[in-house]
Amino acid sequence: KVKSRLSPPLDMQQAAIVAEQLLGNACINLDRYWPGQVVLAVSPDIKHRAFRALQRRYDFDCVEQYGTDLGERMANALDDGLQTGEMAAVIGADIPAINRPILEHAYEWMAQGEGVIGPTMDGGFYFLGVAGKPTDLFLGVQWGSNKVFEQIMQNANDLHIKLNLLPKLHDCDYWPDVQHAASEIASFRRALQAHKIDLSFELETKPSSS
């Protein structure tokens, strides 16, 4: 049920393996470099073996996502985080290039009471941090489109919320994204190769009709 846009060329079992490796990579970086508490907001089952394995390995809490769409789920996660602190952030689990400088820079901005956003190459975002309740920040956002980042920034502007910009990174929604990440990040490449995922596979392109 995850990373379905990787099929083809992968089958769904392989797509799930990629998703699990991406999540594991995110957890490694957050455990090493994020100064604050980390909570895994998961779906659909908190008891899934992959989530339980991560809980055993890291000192992370694990909660189930709730909400009718992605925006509501993220808003709820941020609201829950703000119940126990003055700032909270959500981060995507498919950003293999996330690193120490990015996470530490984001935390520094948030510790000063400022908002932070990290855009992705496809028009979305991989990180959103806020200080205080982000009322209506996700209102009217077309999730899954290439307008997500633009619409979030417009909402922030309308609400007079300043969002500092992190570097733009690739997420891994499609097969070329996975190939790009594997070519750039040796640990990610080795993890996929260990699961016998052929990174050399090239998708066919349709000939031009002109």
Side-chain angles (χ1 to χ4, degrees), residues 115-135:
V116 189
I117 190 168
T120 55
M121 296 292 184
D122 63 359
F125 66 93
Y126 63 89
F127 186 102
L128 181 64
V130 295
K133 189 175 176 64
T135 307

Side-chain angles (χ1 to χ4, degrees), residues 2 5 14 56 58 73 81 91 94 104 118 126 133 138 142 153 156 171 173 194:
V2 294
R5 287 178 287 187
Q14 291 172 317
R56 287 192 298 268
Y58 305 104
R73 290 181 179 215
I91 182 171
D94 63 350
E104 290 184 346
Y126 63 89
K133 189 175 176 64
F138 300 130
Q142 297 170 280
M153 293 300 290
D171 58 7
D173 287 334

